Amino acid sequence: MSDLPRKAVIRTAKLAALPLGFAGRTALGLGKRIGGRPAEMIAAELQQRTAEQLFATLGQLKGGAMKLGQALSVFESALPEQIAGPYRTALTKLQEAAPPMPTKSVHAALVQRLGKDWRDLFQEFDDRPSAAASIGQVHRAVWHDGRAVAVKLQYPGAGEALLSDLTQLSRFAKLLGPLVPGMDIKPLIAELRDRVSEELDYELEARAQRAHAQEFAGDADVTVPGVVHQSDQVLVTEWMEGVPLSEVIAHGTQEQRDRAGQLLARFLFCGAARTGLLHGDPHPGNFRLLTADAPDGPPEKWRLGVLDFGTVDRLPQGLPVEIGTALRLTLEGQADAVHELLCAEGFVKPGIELDPGAVLDYLMPIIEPAQVAEFTFTRDWMRGQAARIADPRSPAYQLARQLNLPPAYLLIHRVTMSTIGVLCQLGATVRLREEMEAWMPGFAADSRTQDTPA
């Protein structure tokens, strides 16, 4: 049995079957409507089957297919409620696990990458994976010095599978568009493809994780496991217990949700400011809540455990000052200054004429969470934003089509939107403005003298 379906013809056939399946179910639904079945019942049934096929395929293939599924999973909160249920269940599965590699393949890979005496490095090694994701899986073990560790092992052939999947998926990106209203899937796939080589390089990942672990050592709010050992396609880090963020999303109390949301927002802004690196993969599977001495420890004492530094954006000065400046000027209602700044940064291409007032009207609802001391992120709010931008009849839709997202801002945009998606899944009340004032260059009122466009 193969540890990862690597043959291009097999992977291509599975992915190519997805749009055919969509078309077939649409035709089936039409036939049932002609036969007298209620339209609402048929639509719900088709959505359920589509969700099951789509995300089962993405999960089984791992590689780029699952990577896209995980990236989409954080936008579940944007789906209309009548179709969100089937997707929510299927998407959650992608955040935490994928079909594991057979034990025989695990051992063969460890011999190849750590040497035939690899077992001497460990006091114990659990052959059953504790987690499996898009390009590798994690095993729990005890290092030779007695430390509990996580051993991350890259799937053989993961690089080829990632590139092949993302190329294939980009060919029918338009068919995936309805999964996330208001979002263009093709640029997301292109951006994921651009990051492939970095994610496959465990030396880069180890470097980024060490930087975070060192910076947040002893921190009251954020914990990052230290790196124990790194070699080609194997990364050994300290083991971290904790409650998966997906469990808080599914079953947490409001107090727990609020604390998790605040910690997530804090890490979004302070991580880049403190390390010069932006964690680039904020889906719930990469976060744990450390609950002090007991699983039901008081939420105000919880810390956020952060995993997986395979994708990072290198920002030596933290988040660009232009973002904070634009947000502050928008809140102040300075339409002309906002328009000028967006033009200067390439968000408005040369030759495109936009009304500064219309740009302000477009931005204000999006940055509503920064207008107040506390904001409650909800699925309804997320759906409203998605619907506003996705409706071809709305001014927001027309204006959005004229705006441009410069390459330097692609990952920042995806991370920010993904984090907001998770906050909406949590339904958390968060003091977002407080975090932005503390950590975002250009946003605080005392920064206005340095950055207002002339």
Side-chain angles (χ1 to χ4, degrees):
M1 180 178 177
S2 173
D3 46 326
L4 189 151
R6 278 175 284 167
K7 291 183 179 178
V9 66
I10 296 175
R11 302 182 68 82
T12 298
K14 285 181 177 288
L15 291 172
L18 288 174
L20 294 176
F22 297 164
R25 277 188 294 279
T26 300
L28 177 65
L30 177 60
K32 288 183 176 180
R33 282 196 295 276
I34 293 173
R37 291 275 300 280
E40 293 80 5
M41 184 184 299
I42 294 167
E45 182 181 313
L46 294 179
Q47 288 290 345
Q48 177 74 47
R49 292 186 182 181
T50 297
E52 289 173 353
Q53 184 207 5
L54 174 63
F55 296 110
T57 300
L58 296 183
Q60 289 166 2
L61 289 179
K62 306 175 188 176
M66 187 177 178
K67 178 60 63 179
L68 175 63
Q70 289 178 331
L72 289 176
S73 73
V74 297
F75 298 106
E76 164 268 316
S77 53
L79 293 169
E81 184 55 38
Q82 65 268 27
I83 67 171
Y87 287 109
R88 191 171 298 151
T89 301
L91 285 163
T92 300
K93 292 177 182 177
L94 279 175
Q95 293 171 355
E96 286 293 337
M101 268 198 288
T103 299
K104 183 178 179 181
S105 299
V106 171
H107 291 177
L110 289 169
V111 168
Q112 180 180 359
R113 295 161 189 176
L114 295 179
K116 60 183 177 62
D117 298 324
W118 66 268
R119 287 191 180 274
D120 294 342
L121 295 172
F122 304 95
Q123 291 183 12
E124 300 174 21
F125 184 91
D126 191 344
D127 288 334
R128 298 166 301 174
S130 60
S134 55
I135 68 164
Q137 66 187 37
V138 177
H139 293 259
R140 185 165 186 168
V142 178
W143 196 238
H144 57 77
D145 62 5
R147 281 181 289 175
V149 294
V151 183
K152 185 175 179 179
L153 181 64
Q154 193 172 123
Y155 300 128
E160 295 89 336
L162 271 168
L163 290 170
S164 173
D165 289 353
L166 294 172
T167 298
Q168 179 72 6
L169 286 164
S170 67
R171 291 173 183 154
F172 57 88
K174 286 185 178 179
L175 287 169
L176 299 174
L179 296 178
V180 187
M183 181 179 179
D184 190 347
I185 302 295
K186 196 158 189 174
L188 171 62
I189 295 174
E191 197 266 328
L192 290 172
R193 185 182 172 89
D194 288 345
R195 297 281 169 176
V196 165
S197 61
E198 288 190 17
E199 187 159 359
L200 293 168
D201 189 335
Y202 279 5
E203 183 179 352
L204 282 177
E205 179 172 352
R207 206 177 302 160
Q209 185 158 340
R210 283 192 184 99
H212 280 84
Q214 181 177 349
E215 175 59 37
F216 287 101
D219 192 85
D221 298 314
V222 176
T223 296
V224 176
V227 175
V228 175
H229 177 79
Q230 180 270 318
S231 62
D232 183 40
Q233 300 182 3
V234 177
L235 180 62
V236 183
T237 63
E238 295 169 342
W239 182 265
M240 185 170 64
E241 292 286 358
V243 177
L245 182 58
S246 57
E247 290 188 15
V248 180
I249 290 173
H251 308 296
T253 66
Q254 191 59 52
E255 188 180 12
Q256 293 169 345
R257 293 169 182 275
D258 292 347
R259 175 60 175 170
Q262 192 69 44
L263 290 173
L264 198 63
R266 183 162 301 161
F267 181 68
L268 169 66
F269 294 109
C270 82
R274 292 173 60 175
T275 68
L277 300 167
L278 178 68
H279 184 282
D281 201 4
H283 72 79
N286 286 336
F287 297 101
R288 301 287 183 269
L289 280 308
L290 281 60
T291 59
D293 297 328
D296 58 352
E300 66 267 19
K301 299 290 187 181
W302 283 12
R303 288 174 292 140
L304 183 71
V306 186
L307 304 170
D308 197 342
F309 292 84
T311 301
V312 298
D313 206 356
R314 287 160 182 81
L315 304 169
Q317 307 303 316
L319 291 169
V321 67
E322 291 81 7
I323 296 178
T325 303
L327 290 172
R328 174 172 52 77
L329 294 173
T330 299
L331 292 177
E332 293 173 355
Q334 298 191 41
D336 290 336
V338 171
H339 180 260
E340 183 178 344
L341 183 53
L342 293 179
C343 289
E345 288 301 301
F347 288 92
V348 181
K349 288 185 175 180
I352 299 293
E353 297 291 336
L354 296 178
D355 174 26
V359 173
L360 210 62
D361 291 341
Y362 170 79
L363 292 175
M364 283 299 283
I366 298 173
I367 64 170
E368 184 182 357
Q371 298 176 42
V372 291
E374 286 188 338
F375 184 82
T376 301
F377 290 86
T378 66
R379 286 185 165 95
D380 282 344
W381 178 79
M382 186 79 163
R383 288 187 202 109
Q385 294 300 318
R388 183 175 71 98
I389 296 172
D391 185 354
R393 299 165 298 179
S394 76
Y397 174 87
Q398 300 300 331
L399 194 142
R401 288 174 60 86
Q402 298 180 77
L403 292 175
N404 175 57
L405 186 60
Y409 289 92
L410 275 171
L411 188 56
I412 296 171
H413 179 262
R414 175 159 71 87
V415 169
T416 303
M417 295 306 298
S418 297
T419 304
I420 289 172
V422 176
L423 293 176
C424 290
Q425 289 178 331
L426 281 165
T429 298
V430 174
R431 301 182 305 280
L432 189 72
R433 186 183 183 109
E434 174 184 307
E435 304 298 344
M436 295 170 71
E437 288 177 338
W439 302 107
M440 177 172 266
F443 183 77
D446 60 5
S447 63
R448 70 182 60 215
T449 56
Q450 69 183 39
D451 46 35
T452 302

